[in-house]
Amino acid sequence: MPTPLERLQPAGWPRPRGYSNGVRVPAGLDLVLTGGMVGWDASERIVPGGFVAQFAQALRNVLAVVACAGGGPDDVVRLTVYVTDREAYLASLPELGEAWRAVMGRSYPAMALVEIAGLVEEGALVEIEATAAVPPRGLPDA
């Protein structure tokens, strides 16, 4: 049975919506660090549909990496979301919430959003990197 993660909520602070203030990872779990995932498919083509579609695909790509280590949405403890247009992000919040719940369910890691001038991948509007804490599965055979 996996060790539960502790969502940190300082006394007197308003409860955040869509993220956690912090997450305590107990000893005994393996950390998984993803690279920056953009909204492209397995053929490295940016998905059509704009910002929300790319956001959802980038989340799916993060979870695909986490799944390789035996984890899922509830194991993601931190996300950093890089966007090229903060206003597009803010204007899309209701749709982003729907996309989030479709991919991540009700799992809300600690999260930061950073607006940047551009991304390396042509046409990419969002990039997401993650840290997950998954149950250990032992060392691979040599």
Side-chain angles (χ1 to χ4, degrees):
M1 171 176 236
T3 305
L5 301 170
E6 180 185 356
R7 307 297 170 167
L8 303 174
Q9 177 62 32
W13 284 25
R15 192 159 297 285
R17 292 181 44 160
Y19 66 96
S20 294
N21 286 308
V23 180
R24 182 181 161 275
V25 177
L29 296 179
D30 289 344
L31 290 181
V32 176
L33 309 169
T34 74
M37 301 289 134
V38 296
W40 62 14
D41 61 20
S43 299
E44 297 184 344
R45 289 186 299 256
I46 296 292
V47 297
F51 185 82
V52 174
Q54 286 191 33
F55 180 84
Q57 183 62 46
L59 280 176
R60 285 191 290 274
N61 293 344
V62 162
L63 288 184
V65 174
V66 171
C68 287
D74 289 337
D75 299 309
V76 176
V77 296
R78 180 166 178 66
L79 289 178
T80 304
V81 180
Y82 302 94
V83 299
T84 59
D85 185 345
R86 178 180 166 271
E87 295 306 317
Y89 174 85
L90 292 173
S92 302
L93 283 176
E95 295 87 359
L96 289 171
E98 290 176 26
W100 179 275
R101 288 183 296 281
V103 177
M104 297 289 291
R106 297 274 179 200
S107 178
Y108 299 109
M111 189 163 42
L113 177 81
V114 181
E115 183 180 32
I116 57 173
L119 294 164
V120 171
E121 301 305 327
E122 184 71 31
L125 304 173
V126 61
E127 184 170 321
I128 303 173
E129 62 182 14
T131 302
V134 301
R137 61 178 182 201
L139 298 174
D141 294 332

